[in-house]
Amino acid sequence: MCAACSPSPTASTGSRRRRLWDLPQQCHCPVIGVCFPLARLRQLVHKALGNPPVADDYDIHLGAVAECAKRSRLTELLHKDVEARFAPHIRAFRQAKEAKAVAQLWAQAVRLGDVSGAFWAALTHPRCDEALQEVLLRDMHMLQHQAGAAVRVDLHQFQALSKENAVLTQELGKVQERCTRVINEKSTEIEQLHAELVHVRASNIGQATQIRFLQQDIEQLKNAQPAHDQVAKLQKKLALLTEHQHQLQTQNAELRHALAQAERLVRQQALEALQPAPAAAEPVPEPALQLHAKKVVCVGGRHTNVANYRAVIEQAGGQFAHHDGGIDDKHSALDAVLAAADLVICQTGCISHNAYWRVKDFCKRMGKQCVFVDNPSATSFSRSLRGVQLTAAPTTVAE
């Protein structure tokens, strides 16, 4: 049927939509070009003919447009396909009850850029008259021009993007190569660290096992030696006794030195005795002991002689105080007694070793006069005090 003889679309009052072969001839080209992608069109032609088409895309397009003028197997396949693919658009346009509403839906679809389904749904709508059909064809014609221009612009952009993509692909390849190399290096390092970690863990497990075994051995030894605490106490006591022995050895060395000096003095006196004695002279009386209310502290000595010591000191006008040197009295009171003394008498023969060294150290530090007496008798005590000058520097006298 030619274009002149084809019926012009008029406003229909029914609900029947037009089929593909019912459309005017001027509508077939835009419908085939817009509503059917080339790949899908080639598949439908292949299905209708039974053989794959050998023509190019343009010839297939022309053949399909020509075939739309009548109802055939190909046009039925094309109609069925486009109805199925654009079913949502058809349902949306079905709400329009007049040509104006159809035109509004078409304009909205154009603004949104979704024209393929809207073009088919509007063109086949029962309310599509000749004026609306002309609007649809004009709009689609201009959209195709714009699409062609956009394709050309997109082609240039695509070529530029292709070049940029090639450069980026090359750079990406280099980056991937570096990343692969780094990953391999890190993988090797991780494997080495993992091996070291396994070795350290094994070593720690071995050490922990050895520690547990040693702890068990210690517990067994403690259980096997019930007197372990007693042994520790004895060891501590042995250390104290060893220290005391060293102190006694030091004191013994000092006493030996004093004895050697005394022996030399005795020998010298013996030699002087062998010499002729000078004319007898009148004996010089020993000076009387005067303490002038000074406080004298006696450390050590025999308890039976303490009263005699007190009598000697008080007869000389002094004040007497006594400390037993740590035997009965406490060591903590010794420093307080020594601090109040003007003169200290230390009975070396009857005093503890600790008290002896404390007295000697205290008198040396505090500048106290100190007399050391070997013999605890009252006579030796009195003889050691004769000639002592309390105002002089501290001195040591031993018998």
Side-chain angles (χ1 to χ4, degrees):
M1 183 180 297
C2 63
C5 299
S6 61
S8 300
T10 58
S12 174
T13 58
S15 60
R16 182 180 178 277
R17 299 173 59 254
R18 290 185 293 179
R19 306 294 188 268
L20 177 62
W21 51 85
D22 292 335
L23 296 175
Q25 186 178 2
Q26 64 267 27
C27 297
H28 293 160
C29 181
V31 168
I32 297 300
V34 173
C35 298
F36 292 93
L38 290 175
R40 182 59 180 165
L41 180 62
R42 184 177 289 272
Q43 291 176 356
L44 295 174
V45 172
H46 181 194
K47 186 176 181 180
L49 298 179
N51 295 318
V54 295
D56 57 13
D57 294 338
Y58 180 73
D59 292 335
I60 292 175
H61 173 79
L62 291 180
V65 170
E67 193 69 19
C68 288
K70 59 183 178 179
R71 184 172 184 176
S72 64
R73 176 171 172 75
L74 176 60
T75 56
E76 290 179 352
L77 290 174
L78 293 174
H79 182 80
K80 183 178 180 179
D81 179 77
V82 76
E83 286 285 310
R85 287 190 292 109
F86 296 141
H89 298 81
I90 294 172
R91 287 193 298 270
F93 274 79
R94 189 176 294 162
Q95 304 299 325
K97 302 303 181 181
E98 56 184 10
K100 183 177 180 181
V102 175
Q104 291 176 353
L105 291 175
W106 165 250
Q108 182 179 359
V110 171
R111 288 194 301 270
L112 296 177
D114 185 14
V115 296
S116 298
F119 180 68
W120 172 254
L123 193 63
T124 59
H125 196 277
R127 300 295 180 268
C128 182
D129 53 14
E130 184 177 359
L132 179 58
Q133 176 180 297
E134 183 68 19
V135 172
L136 293 175
L137 294 176
R138 288 186 177 188
D139 289 345
M140 185 54 66
H141 182 78
M142 295 307 298
L143 288 173
Q144 287 177 331
H145 280 296
Q146 294 175 5
V151 167
R152 288 192 294 273
V153 174
D154 293 341
L155 180 61
H156 291 298
Q157 293 179 352
F158 176 76
Q159 292 175 350
L161 291 175
S162 298
K163 293 180 181 179
E164 183 179 0
N165 183 62
V167 176
L168 293 177
T169 302
Q170 184 177 4
E171 294 294 330
L172 179 61
K174 295 180 181 179
V175 172
Q176 289 178 342
E177 182 180 357
R178 289 197 298 269
C179 290
T180 302
R181 184 172 62 255
V182 172
I183 290 173
N184 293 334
E185 294 176 355
K186 294 301 179 181
S187 299
T188 304
E189 184 178 356
I190 289 173
E191 292 178 357
Q192 294 177 353
L193 293 175
H194 182 70
E196 294 178 2
L197 178 61
V198 172
H199 178 71
V200 171
R201 286 179 176 175
S203 178
N204 291 338
I205 293 174
Q207 292 178 358
T209 304
Q210 185 177 5
I211 290 173
R212 286 196 296 269
F213 288 157
L214 292 175
Q215 289 176 346
Q216 293 176 359
D217 294 341
I218 291 173
E219 293 297 330
Q220 292 176 359
L221 290 174
K222 288 183 178 179
N223 295 331
Q225 297 180 359
H228 177 73
D229 295 338
Q230 185 66 23
V231 171
K233 293 179 180 179
L234 292 175
Q235 290 177 348
K236 184 176 181 181
K237 186 175 181 180
L238 178 60
L240 294 175
L241 291 175
T242 302
E243 182 181 359
H244 184 61
Q245 181 183 0
H246 291 322
Q247 294 176 353
L248 291 177
Q249 289 176 351
T250 303
Q251 182 181 6
N252 189 26
E254 293 180 355
L255 293 176
R256 288 179 182 275
H257 179 69
L259 178 60
Q261 291 181 349
E263 289 178 350
R264 286 196 299 269
L265 181 59
V266 169
R267 287 196 297 269
Q268 183 179 359
Q269 291 177 354
L271 292 176
E272 292 177 354
L274 294 176
Q275 295 178 0
E282 295 181 359
V284 179
E286 294 181 355
L289 180 62
Q290 297 294 330
L291 295 178
H292 305 290
K294 300 297 183 179
K295 187 171 183 178
V296 179
V297 176
C298 179
V299 182
R302 295 175 181 173
H303 289 284
T304 56
N305 291 334
V306 172
N308 296 329
Y309 302 157
R310 183 183 299 276
V312 172
I313 297 301
E314 291 180 351
Q315 288 177 3
Q319 299 178 9
F320 178 78
H322 179 260
H323 191 283
D324 64 2
I327 299 176
D328 292 330
D329 298 335
K330 295 182 179 179
H331 286 293
S332 59
L334 180 57
D335 291 343
V337 174
L338 294 175
D342 297 311
L343 175 64
V344 180
I345 300 175
C346 181
Q347 298 281 0
T348 59
C350 300
I351 190 174
S352 67
H353 185 267
N354 186 25
Y356 169 81
W357 286 107
R358 290 185 65 180
V359 169
K360 187 174 181 179
D361 180 69
F362 184 88
C363 292
K364 183 177 180 181
R365 288 187 294 103
M366 304 303 296
K368 300 285 185 179
Q369 282 187 290
C370 183
V371 178
F372 292 89
V373 181
D374 294 336
N375 194 333
S377 65
T379 304
S380 298
F381 181 84
S382 178
R383 187 168 54 251
S384 299
L385 291 176
R386 293 190 182 97
V388 175
Q389 299 295 330
L390 294 179
T391 59
T395 182
T396 299
V397 180
E399 287 193 359

